[in-house]
Amino acid sequence: MLRKYIRAFVKIRTLLILLIILITIYFYHDKFREVSGNFIEESRKEGAFPYFEDALNKAKRIRQMNEGRAQRVVDLAGERKLVREKNGLFELEVPENWRVSLEQGSTKYQISKISIESPTYSKFNIGDDFFCDNGAQLEVTVMRGVQQSAKDPNGSHGPRLIRKEDVTIGEEKGFYHVIRDENLKEGETADAHVIHDRNTYHFLFIYNPKIFGTGEFIFQEMLNSVRFDIK
């Protein structure tokens, strides 16, 4: 009987301690967060958490790869939609879950510009360098007149050129390139140049091949779907 009362007392005491801890956390959680944040920041400055941060970065990379793998399945096998330039200069097909993030009109040299992004597209800058750490972005710029880059088989990329091919976009012959951007520290760039109605159409594609491995294939499929002068 005595043991029964002792066990009951221990359970009650344990519950009281847990209750006190929970109440304390509830009323002082902001202070805990501030103190722990300061501790982590100081530890980071002193180099105390390199392995911990490395593990977090690896976990982030694995999560991004899983997101990218799921996105590739949707992009390759999912529904497509038409994106049309607002003045009817062109249209093209993109995966259903991509979105238009920018649409500009006429300037001195530019007729139109449109950017289309995958749902997981992520890019950040550090100084002049930028990092595409997930997803992909397509940018289409229509420039006035015939630009030298569109006449040059190398796209005027010089030593940045990695690979070149002939391409047909909307029945127009042009050039396709994979290039190395000095300021792009993570990711890869491909582009295509064609001339239509004596104006230059530049298609620029940025993606991270480590995560979005089928990016270049999807870019080429987009180019194959282009139609000009849609009224």
Side-chain angles (χ1 to χ4, degrees):
M1 182 65 70
L2 180 59
R3 290 180 180 178
K4 181 178 179 181
Y5 285 119
I6 291 174
R7 283 198 299 269
F9 175 75
V10 170
K11 289 181 180 179
I12 293 172
R13 187 176 65 176
T14 302
L15 290 173
L16 286 174
I17 292 172
L18 289 173
L19 181 61
I20 292 171
I21 292 173
L22 290 173
I23 292 173
T24 304
I25 291 175
Y26 177 79
F27 285 104
Y28 295 99
H29 67 279
D30 290 335
K31 189 63 178 177
F32 286 152
R33 186 181 302 169
E34 178 184 347
V35 172
S36 61
N38 291 337
F39 171 73
I40 292 172
E41 183 62 28
E42 290 299 321
S43 299
R44 182 181 288 112
K45 291 178 181 178
E46 296 173 4
F49 280 168
Y51 299 107
F52 177 70
E53 290 190 319
D54 184 58
L56 285 179
N57 290 333
K58 288 181 179 178
K60 178 183 177 183
R61 175 66 62 183
I62 291 171
R63 176 180 58 80
Q64 289 178 333
M65 290 181 68
N66 289 334
E67 289 176 352
R69 188 176 297 112
Q71 180 184 321
R72 289 196 299 273
V73 172
V74 172
D75 291 341
L76 291 173
E79 295 294 326
R80 304 295 178 96
K81 67 181 178 183
L82 276 177
V83 172
R84 178 176 294 183
E85 194 273 337
K86 61 183 179 181
N87 295 314
L89 294 174
F90 66 89
E91 69 178 15
L92 77 166
E93 291 184 358
V94 302
E96 177 67 33
N97 58 354
W98 288 40
R99 67 180 184 89
V100 175
S101 60
L102 173 70
E103 192 162 9
Q104 294 179 344
S106 177
T107 63
K108 184 176 181 181
Y109 300 105
Q110 172 185 295
I111 298 175
S112 177
K113 182 176 182 179
I114 186 170
S115 295
I116 311 166
E117 299 175 357
S118 70
T120 58
Y121 177 67
S122 174
K123 186 183 79 170
F124 64 93
N125 294 67
I126 299 180
D128 294 331
D129 299 330
F130 63 99
F131 302 75
C132 174
D133 60 350
N134 204 353
Q137 179 192 60
L138 171 67
E139 182 178 277
V140 186
T141 306
V142 185
M143 303 297 292
R144 300 184 189 280
V146 177
Q147 304 293 313
Q148 178 61 35
S149 59
K151 297 189 295 182
D152 182 0
N154 294 332
S156 300
H157 294 306
R160 298 187 301 154
L161 181 65
I162 298 174
R163 189 177 85 244
K164 66 178 179 180
E165 302 172 11
D166 294 336
V167 68
T168 300
I169 301 175
E171 300 184 355
E172 301 285 7
K173 302 293 185 181
F175 304 104
Y176 177 93
H177 312 98
V178 175
I179 57 179
R180 180 184 299 106
D181 191 322
E182 296 176 355
N183 296 114
L184 181 60
K185 301 304 181 182
E186 185 171 9
E188 192 166 290
T189 303
D191 75 355
H193 308 251
V194 293
I195 299 168
H196 175 73
D197 197 22
R198 298 200 58 77
N199 292 316
T200 300
Y201 287 69
H202 182 220
F203 299 82
L204 176 66
F205 192 73
I206 300 175
Y207 73 108
N208 188 325
K210 295 179 182 177
I211 298 173
F212 199 69
T214 53
E216 190 176 355
F217 171 78
I218 290 175
F219 179 39
Q220 292 171 352
E221 288 294 295
M222 291 177 181
L223 296 178
N224 290 336
S225 72
V226 171
R227 295 175 59 205
F228 295 117
D229 300 326
I230 308 302
K231 304 299 182 183

